[in-house]
């Protein structure tokens, strides 16, 4: 029996020597090692970090950046009115700095109001003079130049200036001046 155990042990040793020579055991051991994960394995954590203050939505990660919409500012001459203490021009616009009543010499959007008449104002800036009729607006896109843009649009507020602008927008031709005259007469009666 001892001979049988010695032969089995000798065969086992021979097999081990052959496996070592062929590198089979070395490969088996290397596949059993714990692989160290690389950075790519953890990249999802930085991509989807809910605590990142600079995090953006998934749709922005697709690589197609949407251009930001252009910032458009505008203001319109809503009407003019003569009081005992002077003539005023009423403006309405996209920002609170454009919603105001001003007199000759005051400024709006970088323009100085040079003259106010019943149907228009003259604006001056950098030696350039622009006549702005009642119901007409000035617009600028982003940081561009102010340009006369035609009929005024509603600016989405419920201020009296906007209501007057909407009334002048809905009127056409001769009706426009009639509406303005009625508004001016009504205002004069309120002041008495």
């Amino acid at each position: 029996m001892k001979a049988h155990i010695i032969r089995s042990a000798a065969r086992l040793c021979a097999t081990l020597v052959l496996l070592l020579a062929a590198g089979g055991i070395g490969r088996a051991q290397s596949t059993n090692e714990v692989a160290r994960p690389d950075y790519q394995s953890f990249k999802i954590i930085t991509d989807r970090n809910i605590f990142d203050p600079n995090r953006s939505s998934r749709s922005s990660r697709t690589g197609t950046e949407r251009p930001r919409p252009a910032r458009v500012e505008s203001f319109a001459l809503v009407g003019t009115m003569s009081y005992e203490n002077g003539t005023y021009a009423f403006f309405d616009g996209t920002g609170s700095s454009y919603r105001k009543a001003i007199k000759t010499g005051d400024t709006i959007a970088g323009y100085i109001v040079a003259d106010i008449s019943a149907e228009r104002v003259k604006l001056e800036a950098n030696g350039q003079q622009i006549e702005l009729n009642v119901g007409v607006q000035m617009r600028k896109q982003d940081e561009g130049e102010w340009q006369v843009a035609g009929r005024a649009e509603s600016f989405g507020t419920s201020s009296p200036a906007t209501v007057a602008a909407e009334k002048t927008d809905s009127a056409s031709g001769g009706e426009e001046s009639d509406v303005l005259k009625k508004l001016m007469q009504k205002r004069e009666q309120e002041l008495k």
Side-chain angles (χ1 to χ4, degrees):
M1 176 107 137
K2 282 187 172 183
H4 179 59
I5 293 176
I6 294 176
R7 278 187 240 158
S8 293
R11 274 189 225 148
L12 182 62
C13 287
T15 307
L16 285 175
V17 169
L18 284 174
L19 285 176
L20 283 174
I25 291 179
R27 270 188 254 136
Q29 287 179 348
S30 67
T31 58
N32 291 336
E33 286 183 18
V34 176
R36 294 195 57 127
D38 60 347
Y39 178 74
Q40 286 298 104
S41 302
F42 296 101
K43 188 163 178 15
I44 193 170
I45 294 171
T46 58
D47 287 346
R48 297 185 184 170
N49 182 1
I50 63 171
F51 301 107
D52 183 5
N54 299 320
R55 180 178 180 223
S56 60
S57 66
R58 287 184 185 196
S59 62
S60 67
R61 286 187 228 141
T62 60
T64 56
E65 292 286 328
R66 294 180 187 156
R68 67 175 183 85
R71 182 174 176 216
V72 177
E73 295 181 67
S74 61
F75 68 93
L77 176 62
V78 176
T80 63
M81 190 168 287
S82 292
Y83 292 103
E84 293 136 6
N85 60 352
T87 304
Y88 289 86
F90 297 89
F91 290 92
D92 189 17
T94 54
S96 61
S97 62
Y98 305 129
R99 295 181 191 123
K100 55 185 171 180
I102 58 179
K103 58 185 178 179
T104 304
D106 290 344
T107 61
I108 184 165
Y111 287 95
I112 298 173
V113 177
D115 184 42
I116 301 173
S117 66
E119 296 181 10
R120 71 182 54 86
V121 295
K122 288 183 182 177
L123 303 173
E124 289 183 1
N126 303 325
Q128 181 184 12
Q129 196 172 54
I130 297 173
E131 285 192 12
L132 191 63
N133 292 328
V134 172
V136 175
Q137 72 177 348
M138 299 277 291
R139 293 174 60 106
K140 80 172 183 175
Q141 191 169 339
D142 290 326
E143 297 300 319
E145 296 287 319
W146 285 103
Q147 297 176 353
V148 177
R151 304 300 299 162
E153 300 171 0
S154 174
F155 294 104
T157 63
S158 59
S159 69
T162 303
V163 173
E166 289 171 357
K167 286 183 181 178
T168 59
D169 283 345
S170 64
S172 63
E175 291 177 330
E176 181 176 274
S177 60
D178 291 340
V179 171
L180 284 175
K181 286 178 186 177
K182 287 179 184 178
L183 286 172
M184 289 171 55
Q185 288 171 354
K186 185 177 179 181
R187 182 66 178 159
E188 286 175 6
Q189 288 175 358
E190 289 174 356
L191 292 175
K192 288 182 182 180

